[in-house]
Amino acid sequence: MQSDARLARDFELTALPESFAEGPFPVYRALLEHAPVKRFSDGSIMLSRWADLDRVYRDTTSFSSDKKVEFLPKFGRSPLYEHHTTSLVFNDPPLHTRVRKIMVGAMTPRALAAMEPGLIKLVDGLLERLAEKGEVDLIEDFAAAIPVEVIGNLFNIPHEERGPLRDWSLAILGALEPVLTGEQQERGNRSVTDFKAFLKEIADERRRNPGDPATDVLTRLINGNEGEQLSEVELLQNCIFILNAGHETTTNLIGNALFELTRWPDEKKRLQDDPELIITAVDEFLRFQSPNQLGNRMAVAPAEFHGEVIEPGTRIHLAIGAANRDPRQFPDPDRLNLSRKPNKHLAFAGGPHLCVGFSLAKMEGRIAISRFLKRFPGYRLTGMPQRTGRVRFRGFSHLPAVVQ
Ligand code: HEM
C-alpha cells in the first residue's frame, strides 16, 4: 500500500490511475495532508484545502475565469473553443456580469415556487413508471430524466424536441476532462454545432412570439438587461451553457444520493423516520459526493499559498471534492451525516461565480430523493453500478436496481 505522502507526490492529473475515477478520496486525503499546493509537470497546480478554494473563488481580481488563452491549444479555433470561451462561467466581467444579471432574475424564490408543482408531477409520473417496470436503471429511468425536463421548461423547449439535449450536454461538458481523445473532441465539436443550429431556430421563433420574461429564460436573454443586449453568438452559447450546466450535475446529485443511501442504512433509516431531514440531507449528499469535483482558475496576480509563490499565468485546479472532505472545515469528513450543520460545502463553488441554479438543483434533489424513498423504501441495487469514468463530474451512468 502506497503511503499517503507518496500518493500525493506521484499524483498527475493527466496520468490518472484507473482507480481514481472509482474512488479519488485516498488521493484527496493525501493532497490535503501532504501537498496542499500540488505542482504538476505541466506547470499547473492543484489546491485542495477548503479555505484556499474559498479564497480563490472570492478573489476574482487575482484569479480569473477567462479561458481564452488556456483553451486555444486544447481546442484550436473550433466550435468547442467558441462555446467554452463565450459562456459566462469561463468569463470575467463585463460579459460575466451581463449574462449573470439576466439569468438570476429567472431563479427567484417566486419563480422556483411556480416550478414546484410541475416538478412533483414529473417525479411522480417517473415513479409510477418505475413501479410498473420493477427492474430499473436509477440513472436512465429516473435521475437523468428529471433535469432534462426541468431545463427544457426553463427555456420552453417543445417536449418532443428535447431528445438530443442530454447527449449534446454530455459531449460538450465531457470535453473539459483533463485528457481528451480525438473522438471525444470531434463529438464535442459536432454537438456544439448541432446544438447552436437547434437553438437558433428556437430563438428566432421566440423573437417572433416572446414568452413571459418572469419564467422564460430564453426570452429574458433575448430581451437583455437595461438596454444591453447579448450578441447572437453570446446568446446562443450561453443558452447552451445553461442548458448543459444543470444536466449532468443534477443527475449526479440524485444518482449519487440514491447510491449512498444503500451504503449507509442507518442514515437512510433516519431520513425515512424524519422526512424533514431532506433539507440538510441534500447538502450533505452534495458535500460527500460532489457532482462537480474540479474547478479551474488562472492566477493573474502573484499569490502565495502555504509559503509557495504562485506566478501570474499559473493554471489552478480547484479540487472541490477534496475541499468538501477537508477535516479543517468538516468534522469527521468521511462520514455521511444527513443532519450535518453547518455545512458550508463548495459543491456550487462560491463568490461571484456561485452556481446560478443552486436553489433549483437543491429543489430537484429534495423532491426526487424524498418522493423516491417514500414510494420505494425497500429499493436495492442489483448488478454492477457503472460510473461515468469522468473525473470532473462524479456520478454513475448506470445504477441497476429493483424497486418495490
Ligand atoms: C447539483 C447540481 C449542480 C451543481 C453541483 C452545480 C455546480 C456548479 C459549479 C461548481 C459552478 C461554478 C463553476 C466555476 O465558476 O468554476 C456552477 C456554475 C453555474 N451553474 Fe451550476 N450546478 C448545478 C446545477 C445547476 C443548474 C440546475 C443550473 C441552471 C439551471 C446551473 C447553472 C449554472 C450557471 C449559469 C453557472 C455559471 C455561474 C457563473 O459563472 O456566474 N447549475 N455550477
Side-chain angles (χ1 to χ4, degrees), residues 217-237:
V217 174
L218 182 52
T219 300
R220 293 182 73 84
L221 289 164
I222 290 171
N223 289 351
N225 199 34
E226 291 162 9
E228 269 203 275
Q229 271 192 317
L230 301 179
S231 71
E232 183 74 1
V233 170
E234 287 169 351
L235 173 76
L236 298 177
Q237 297 295 14

Side-chain angles (χ1 to χ4, degrees), residues 140-154:
E140 290 287 324
D141 297 328
F142 190 61
I146 298 166
V148 72
E149 291 302 320
V150 171
I151 301 274
N153 289 346
L154 271 185

Side-chain angles (χ1 to χ4, degrees), residues 57 65 88-90 96 100 103 107 151 154 241-242 245-246 249-250 253 286 291-292 295-297 320 346-349 352-358 360-361 364:
Y57 279 132
S65 289
L88 79 161
V89 74
F90 293 147
H96 171 254
R100 189 168 172 111
M103 267 234 65
M107 301 281 173
I151 301 274
L154 271 185
F241 174 73
I242 298 158
T249 46
T250 315
L253 161 61
L286 285 160
N292 191 345
N296 294 86
R297 293 295 186 266
I320 297 173
L346 295 169
F348 294 118
H353 284 275
L354 173 75
C355 174
V356 169
F358 81 94
L360 175 58
E364 289 179 65

Side-chain angles (χ1 to χ4, degrees), residues 189-238:
N189 279 318
R190 225 181 313 123
S191 298
V192 174
T193 306
D194 293 350
F195 207 157
K196 219 173 131 185
F198 168 87
L199 274 173
K200 181 160 174 27
E201 269 187 37
I202 295 184
D204 287 346
E205 159 60 23
R206 200 63 50 85
R207 283 193 186 94
R208 290 190 291 271
N209 295 303
D212 175 0
T215 52
D216 178 11
V217 174
L218 182 52
T219 300
R220 293 182 73 84
L221 289 164
I222 290 171
N223 289 351
N225 199 34
E226 291 162 9
E228 269 203 275
Q229 271 192 317
L230 301 179
S231 71
E232 183 74 1
V233 170
E234 287 169 351
L235 173 76
L236 298 177
Q237 297 295 14
N238 277 285

